[in-house]
Amino acid sequence: MAQWTSAVGAAQLARLLGSQQDRPAGPGTRRPPAYRALADGIRLLVLEGRVPVAARLPAERELALALSVSRTTVAAAYEALRGEGFLESRRGAGSWTAVPAGNPVPARGLEPLPPEALGSMIDLGCAALPAPEPWLTRAVQGALEELPPYAHTHGDYPAGLPALRAMIADRYTQRGIATMPEQIMVTTGAMGAIDAICHLFGGRGERIAVESPSYANILQLMREAGARLVPVAMAEGLTGWDLDRWRQVLREAAPRIAYVVADFHNPTGALADDDQRRRLVDAARSAGTVLVADETMSELWLDEDVEMPRPVCAFDPAGSTVITVGSASKAFWAGMRIGWVRAAPDVIRSLVAARAYADLGTPVLEQLAVNWLFGTGGWEEAVELRRAQARQNRDELVSAVRRELPGWEFEVPRGGLTLWVRTGGLSGSRLAEAGERVGVRVPSGPRFGVDGAFEGYVRLPFTVGGAVAEEAAVRLAAAARIVETGGTTGGEAPRTFVA
């Protein structure tokens, strides 16, 4: 059986290689041989995630014709990549991209930092802000007032509290997507929702198509569920989704599920437009793939003139292709572990039936708190506070990084909570390691890819601002100097910093 999960055509690979800008050689510097330049170009595409890991490359003769080079040049480049661990081959199955052994996906960077470390470490690992008070306290107080009738019941509501299901359904209907309460299941956060969907539709060994890069915690969840991840490379910058590539992968790999974050994508911040959403739904429907649309960032537009596209499920009027996942955790507070699924009623019934063997239901008090926010207008006011805080943090962090690290490249997203940064050729994994030594915690790019892609990136969340953002950028610059020189901190411990 072939080890590749997608394919890159000769013309497509030639275009990707052509998009790389050659850096001018310095005085006395000799240009590398043609095969070496080709191998380096393909390796860079893999490390940046523009060519997914486990993607079959074109045959030597096909690529030679597309690039107008000799077949010997391509053969030598492939052989160099095999020797370096970036290519694997088998007779009859072709050659496919890989990452070298001994370069596992880093296991650190996204878990919350222990409270005892907050005095000396600036945490850029977790993309979550403090609660938007006083709305958290008010919501909990409102929930306590509504609790007594529920306290006289068993307290298990596998589909969610009827009142909250109806409220969430009404909110979709107000957005122009007619929805019944029977189409809603309340879950323990978005992670709980996606875990339930993966177990219902995925199954061990099933293929799941994912954006490349994508949200690290979801990728790990899918791996642990036994899925075979099929990465689909994002387009450059904030343009987001390459729909021709998506159509090809869905047609050829036939994944059971496809997972996308169309609203301020995590980690890139890209926002899919109406046409991209329509074409993606059409491609999934044609391939028989269930499209899971993660809407957890959909209310976090940060610029006032952003025109939000229609929800992904708006392009699936029959309700047979798209399953939508929402959550209070990003827009309100990560400690409010309330998520939901919107899907066809028969899908919801299957998810609810399967839940009896998982967590039985979501905590009643938290459901009542979210229901209070939705019903009183508190949600809109709290989310507006969240937007203002994230907007200010974004602008201050961007300014600090541009000043301290002018060689790092990124586009400023117009919403969401994350900045996806190209690190000027430095290893993201080494930066994460050095950052821990100088007092800044940052997740490396490979956490957001499949099998080690995106080594040249880090993700910076909009969770700090002001003096903390300034200090974070200073410490990132110190980490970058360590990586550039292979040096040390000189034994100096990071100073305690109080916001």
Side-chain angles (χ1 to χ4, degrees):
M1 182 176 179
Q3 301 299 305
W4 50 272
T5 57
S6 62
V8 180
Q12 179 187 4
L13 183 56
R15 286 194 301 271
L16 291 170
L17 290 166
S19 70
Q20 297 174 335
Q21 295 184 355
D22 292 330
R23 296 183 179 180
T29 302
R30 294 168 52 187
R31 287 189 174 276
Y35 85 89
R36 184 68 262 173
L38 176 56
D40 289 344
I42 295 174
R43 177 177 56 83
L44 181 60
L45 289 173
V46 173
L47 290 175
E48 291 183 341
R50 297 175 67 192
V51 169
V53 175
R56 187 180 66 172
L57 294 185
E60 295 170 3
R61 187 185 303 277
E62 294 174 2
L63 186 57
L65 289 172
L67 295 174
S68 298
V69 299
S70 70
R71 183 177 177 181
T72 302
T73 296
V74 177
Y78 279 13
E79 183 59 33
L81 289 168
R82 275 190 288 270
E84 296 163 3
F86 285 95
L87 197 70
E88 296 181 10
S89 304
R90 194 174 69 216
R91 185 178 296 276
S95 299
W96 56 92
T97 55
V99 291
N103 288 265
V105 178
R108 305 174 69 187
L110 297 188
E111 300 80 7
L113 191 67
E116 62 270 17
L118 290 175
S120 61
M121 184 75 68
I122 297 176
D123 187 10
L124 297 181
C126 187
L129 290 162
E133 288 287 31
W135 294 107
L136 174 61
T137 298
R138 292 180 182 177
V140 173
Q141 290 171 342
L144 287 171
E145 294 176 2
E146 299 292 331
L147 182 61
Y150 295 94
H152 295 292
T153 74
H154 49 63
D156 289 334
Y157 296 88
L161 293 184
L164 181 55
R165 296 177 72 194
M167 185 70 74
I168 294 171
D170 285 345
R171 290 174 65 84
Y172 277 105
T173 299
Q174 291 167 15
R175 295 167 68 188
I177 315 298
T179 304
M180 304 178 296
E182 292 79 9
Q183 292 178 261
I184 302 296
M185 180 177 83
V186 180
T187 62
T188 307
M191 292 287 288
I194 294 170
D195 182 59
I197 293 167
C198 288
H199 280 88
L200 179 63
F201 287 97
R204 187 162 295 275
E206 289 280 3
R207 292 178 175 179
I208 300 180
V210 295
E211 297 144 328
S212 183
S214 186
Y215 180 33
N217 287 342
I218 293 296
L219 295 181
Q220 188 59 30
L221 181 155
M222 292 174 175
R223 291 188 189 100
E224 292 182 359
R228 297 177 59 192
L229 301 184
V230 182
V232 186
M234 297 284 285
E236 283 292 299
L238 298 179
T239 56
W241 290 260
D242 183 332
L243 271 301
D244 290 336
R245 191 173 299 173
W246 266 102
R247 188 175 294 277
Q248 178 188 8
V249 169
L250 293 178
R251 182 178 62 247
E252 296 180 357
R256 186 70 182 92
I257 302 173
Y259 169 77
V260 297
V261 186
D263 300 292
F264 306 118
H265 175 260
N266 185 354
T268 68
L271 176 66
D273 60 29
D274 279 336
D275 182 61
Q276 289 174 319
R277 294 169 190 237
R278 179 184 296 105
R279 293 174 60 194
L280 185 57
V281 173
D282 289 346
R285 184 183 297 113
S286 297
T289 297
V290 174
L291 182 62
V292 180
D294 185 333
E295 284 191 338
T296 53
M297 298 282 189
S298 64
E299 296 191 61
L300 290 178
W301 63 85
L302 303 184
D303 296 334
E304 296 297 334
D305 59 343
V306 172
E307 292 187 11
M308 289 300 296
R310 300 173 66 195
V312 175
C313 59
F315 302 98
D316 180 36
S320 59
T321 299
V322 177
I323 297 177
T324 302
V325 171
S327 172
S329 299
K330 293 296 185 185
F332 186 76
W333 183 48
M336 187 68 77
R337 304 305 304 163
I338 298 295
W340 53 86
V341 178
R342 180 198 181 275
D346 62 318
V347 172
I348 295 297
R349 286 193 294 270
S350 297
L351 289 170
V352 171
R355 192 174 194 179
Y357 307 101
D359 63 358
L360 292 179
T362 303
V364 170
L365 189 63
E366 292 185 27
Q367 292 187 70
L368 289 172
V370 172
N371 195 57
W372 183 92
L373 287 166
F374 285 157
T376 62
W379 177 268
E380 284 71 24
E381 295 195 40
V383 172
E384 184 52 45
L385 286 176
R386 169 69 77 238
R387 292 191 197 108
Q389 185 179 13
R391 183 186 307 117
Q392 181 176 343
N393 286 356
R394 177 196 65 180
D395 295 345
E396 291 170 349
L397 182 65
V398 163
S399 177
V401 172
R402 281 177 170 164
R403 182 179 60 255
E404 299 293 335
L405 293 150
W408 287 17
E409 302 173 13
F410 53 85
E411 290 191 44
V412 181
R414 307 193 68 192
L417 291 172
T418 56
L419 193 68
W420 186 236
V421 182
R422 193 195 304 257
T423 56
L426 300 180
S427 162
S429 297
R430 292 183 183 275
L431 279 167
E433 181 183 11
E436 297 255 359
R437 293 154 59 188
V438 299
V440 60
R441 194 163 182 252
V442 58
S444 61
R447 287 297 308 273
F448 305 89
V450 176
D451 295 330
F454 304 107
E455 185 58 62
Y457 290 81
V458 294
R459 189 195 73 171
L460 305 181
F462 309 144
T463 52
V464 297
V468 185
E470 301 279 345
E471 180 68 14
V474 169
R475 296 186 186 187
L476 284 171
R481 288 192 294 272
I482 292 173
V483 174
E484 287 173 337
T485 62
T488 68
T489 61
E492 180 183 353
R495 62 182 182 275
T496 299
F497 187 82
V498 180

